[in-house]
Amino acid sequence: MATSSTSDSDIEKRVDDLLVGAIDPHVHSGPSIAKRALDHVELARQYSKAGFAAVVTKDHDYSGVMTAKLIADNFPELTTKVYSGIALNNVIGGFNPYAVEHTAAAGGKVVWFPTLAAEQHFRWQAQAKSTHPASTDKIRPAVAIPVLDANKQVRDEVKEVIDILAKTGMVLASGHMHISETWIVLEEAKKRGVKRMCVTHPEEIVDGSLNDVKGLAAMGAFIEHSVCMFLDGSKFQHRREEELGQFIEAAGVDQTVMGSDLGQPGTFLPLDGMRRAVKLCIRLGYSDEDIRKMFSLNTARMLGIEADLPAKN
């Protein structure tokens, strides 16, 4: 019979193996005007040591594509590919087609629809018991950027950006739009030829239900969970650990993607968060095959970076 220490060692080895080839599609490393626990280079160092295939850095205020290029060119020893994208908030002019096209030309993978500038973010912020770590109260407070007009139709400037995503193949990520807006925007995006769509953390801010998750996944959207919102001991936890299993079952393993949504000080580092999330999925009864899908294969498919995966995946 295995001892407890042997069992713990076996679990750690299993987690090590499952993280080889993993991809974190949602990390808030620095530099940023928000407080960050580590920068993009240190993130890439830690993830390279663990064998991650790739990581996507996200800042609410700037496109990280040029930083990703600098890391690729100047740190060839780092094996984790660093990607980024752009969040359509006030700093870059909201639905700015020039900024989106520039991001695509520079190798960007994701366009996050408004986050801190989403109308839903302001509603959430008004009643939230905690302050968002990248608060809207910065240099000049954010102002809301609507995605729908008064008739609940997608605005023309939003359609222009959607068309760029259809042409370039970047991911349309829902950001902090309310789930009701997400339905309308993703339906329009699918109609206009967007192939890669992602629902960002339905468990927080956006008011996504299990039925929403089931329906949007059936539409073809990937459901991205911020694991920091489920993990015991995380300062961002507001969902029970077992609720993650309910969300996974609603979408199905094949449409589920896991991201850390970490990088802030005072809680787990992104790598630790992803390790803990793999252990949680093991406790929830998911097989290694299913875990590898949710932490690697599905994410690669969503981003179009299957070539970055190690051969064994």
Side-chain angles (χ1 to χ4, degrees), residues 10-263:
D10 289 345
I11 289 292
E12 294 299 330
K13 177 62 166 60
R14 185 177 172 189
V15 173
D16 288 343
D17 291 344
L18 285 168
L19 288 180
V20 173
I23 302 170
D24 189 342
H26 191 147
V27 185
H28 292 291
S29 44
S32 175
I33 65 169
K35 293 180 180 178
R36 299 300 182 216
L38 76 175
D39 64 28
H40 306 315
V41 175
E42 179 58 25
L43 174 74
R45 286 195 181 108
Q46 293 183 12
Y47 273 179
S48 292
K49 187 175 181 180
F52 273 60
V55 61
V56 180
T57 67
K58 176 184 179 183
D59 194 273
H60 294 285
D61 297 311
Y62 68 87
S63 169
V65 291
M66 296 308 176
T67 301
K69 182 71 164 60
L70 281 170
I71 293 171
D73 290 347
N74 290 279
F75 297 89
E77 73 278 10
L78 300 180
T79 55
T80 298
K81 295 281 188 69
V82 179
Y83 295 104
S84 193
I86 192 168
L88 303 182
N89 290 318
N90 299 135
V91 176
I92 59 90
F95 287 94
N96 180 348
Y98 296 98
V100 175
E101 288 179 340
H102 182 272
T103 299
K109 295 298 180 184
V110 184
V111 174
W112 293 278
F113 274 35
T115 57
L116 304 188
E119 291 180 308
Q120 170 62 12
H121 186 93
F122 286 91
R123 290 189 289 265
W124 170 84
Q125 187 171 263
Q127 53 82 42
K129 295 180 180 178
S130 60
T131 301
H132 192 280
S135 170
T136 57
D137 298 324
K138 300 178 183 178
I139 299 169
R140 178 178 301 203
V143 295
I145 298 173
V147 295
L148 306 180
D149 62 22
N151 297 316
K152 302 297 182 184
Q153 300 297 309
V154 178
R155 297 169 65 94
D156 288 343
E157 58 266 37
V158 179
K159 291 178 183 177
E160 188 172 4
V161 166
I162 288 173
D163 289 343
I164 296 170
L165 301 184
K167 180 179 179 180
T168 61
M170 287 192 292
V171 177
L172 190 170
S174 60
H176 292 186
M177 294 188 295
H178 189 267
I179 200 70
S180 62
E181 297 172 317
T182 297
W183 273 101
I184 297 170
V185 168
L186 295 195
E187 285 172 346
E188 182 70 23
K190 186 173 183 179
K191 182 175 71 176
R192 301 179 85 88
V194 172
K195 302 299 184 186
R196 297 187 171 101
M197 303 183 293
C198 174
V199 178
T200 310
H201 52 59
E203 56 270 1
E204 172 69 336
I205 299 177
V206 305
D207 289 345
S209 68
L210 294 177
N211 282 336
D212 289 316
V213 164
K214 182 177 181 179
L216 290 164
M219 188 195 298
F222 288 93
I223 310 300
E224 180 191 284
H225 296 296
S226 294
V227 300
C228 65
M229 298 175 183
F230 295 93
L231 297 173
D232 287 344
S234 167
K235 74 176 185 179
F236 300 120
Q237 185 190 20
H238 69 279
R239 293 277 191 169
R240 301 186 312 278
E241 288 195 335
E242 56 268 27
E243 288 184 86
L244 179 59
Q246 296 171 11
F247 277 108
I248 294 170
E249 294 309 304
V253 166
D254 289 341
Q255 291 302 119
T256 297
V257 165
M258 301 293 183
S260 70
D261 202 353
L262 288 167

